Amino acid sequence: MATASPAADGGRGRPWEGGLVSWPPAPPLTIPWTWMGPSWGQHPGEIIEFPILKLNGRTMEIESTFHMYVQPVVHPQLTPFCTELTGIIQAMVDGQPSLQQVLERVDEWMAKEGLLDPNVKSIFVTCGDWDLKVMLPGQCQYLGLPVADYFKQWINLKKVILDAYTGPCGCGSDQRPLAQEKELQSQAYSFAMGCWPKNGLLDMNKGLSLQHIGRPHSGIDDCKNIANIMKTLAYRGFIFKQTSKPF
């Protein structure tokens, strides 16, 4: 899901990067969104773009897309910085559904895609913990909205737990010993590339020799990049598992 919200500095924005992955027979989803938040001086932060990609758990191909812009209610006016950073202009959020309405439509879409079936295992995939650990629950708490259980577990693409990795390390050196690859709390990208992706998706794409898709800080484009990175890592032998802790 990708979303954007008004930032704390009067309309500065940042992307929420994440996704939802479901295992066979259901497909996975990627979720990045864009938001504007307290790190720029305004409180509360608000989500303004909410995109989700549903990925096939076997092929990692995109099977379905959810994408909506969100009308900010506390700070309804976007700042020039937010527009410059995210590409989202005022007209794109004016008259759009509120976060409550968008979350209701997310739930309808999840049901339509079979992702609420108790026999289907699915999980969101994010580029960082902030979006689902802080941003979404924080805004929902401020607005008095419930947080669906499916938003309470996720895979942080930066910190993927590996069962085993048997392919090349991806950083130009020879394959590492298997025992060394079986660390329980390893970062998928840094484990493969030998460095931590300080600049998130941009660094990941560069390290994996992937072309960055679309515009940085665009929620829907971030979703596509997450999906592409996941597919590349999966082909290299990575096993993706939940990294979030219950809360």
Side-chain angles (χ1 to χ4, degrees), residues 107-142:
D107 201 70
E108 294 171 357
W109 179 79
M110 296 272 287
K112 178 183 175 182
E113 295 295 327
L115 295 165
L116 302 185
D117 185 331
N119 296 317
V120 173
K121 295 181 180 180
S122 63
I123 191 168
F124 285 102
V125 179
T126 67
C127 184
D129 292 322
W130 174 264
D131 303 286
L132 289 179
K133 186 176 183 179
V134 179
M135 184 61 217
L136 180 63
Q139 188 177 356
C140 286
Q141 181 180 33
Y142 184 88

Side-chain angles (χ1 to χ4, degrees), residues 85-235:
L85 182 70
T86 67
I88 298 173
I89 63 174
Q90 191 67 43
M92 295 168 70
V93 297
D94 284 345
Q96 294 301 308
S98 66
L99 179 62
Q100 179 178 359
Q101 293 170 321
V102 169
L103 291 175
E104 290 171 352
R105 296 187 188 182
V106 167
D107 201 70
E108 294 171 357
W109 179 79
M110 296 272 287
K112 178 183 175 182
E113 295 295 327
L115 295 165
L116 302 185
D117 185 331
N119 296 317
V120 173
K121 295 181 180 180
S122 63
I123 191 168
F124 285 102
V125 179
T126 67
C127 184
D129 292 322
W130 174 264
D131 303 286
L132 289 179
K133 186 176 183 179
V134 179
M135 184 61 217
L136 180 63
Q139 188 177 356
C140 286
Q141 181 180 33
Y142 184 88
L143 297 174
L145 303 176
V147 178
D149 287 342
Y150 46 72
F151 286 127
K152 297 179 181 179
Q153 57 180 7
W154 63 90
I155 296 171
N156 178 353
L157 194 57
K158 294 180 180 179
K159 293 198 281 187
V160 173
I161 299 174
L162 308 179
D163 279 340
Y165 174 64
T166 57
C169 72
C171 56
S173 62
D174 294 334
Q175 178 177 327
R176 298 185 180 94
L178 180 59
Q180 188 177 351
E181 305 296 342
K182 285 188 174 180
E183 296 180 356
L184 293 179
Q185 286 259 341
S186 297
Q187 290 77 30
Y189 176 86
S190 59
F191 212 70
M193 308 307 297
C195 59
W196 178 259
K198 293 181 179 180
N199 294 317
L201 296 175
L202 289 172
D203 279 356
M204 289 183 179
N205 278 322
K206 182 178 180 180
L208 293 168
S209 300
L210 298 175
Q211 181 70 37
H212 191 86
I213 300 171
R215 178 189 182 122
H217 306 302
S218 161
I220 188 64
D221 289 342
D222 285 346
C223 280
K224 294 174 183 177
N225 282 289
I226 287 174
N228 200 30
I229 291 167
M230 285 189 67
K231 182 177 180 180
T232 300
L233 290 176
Y235 283 178

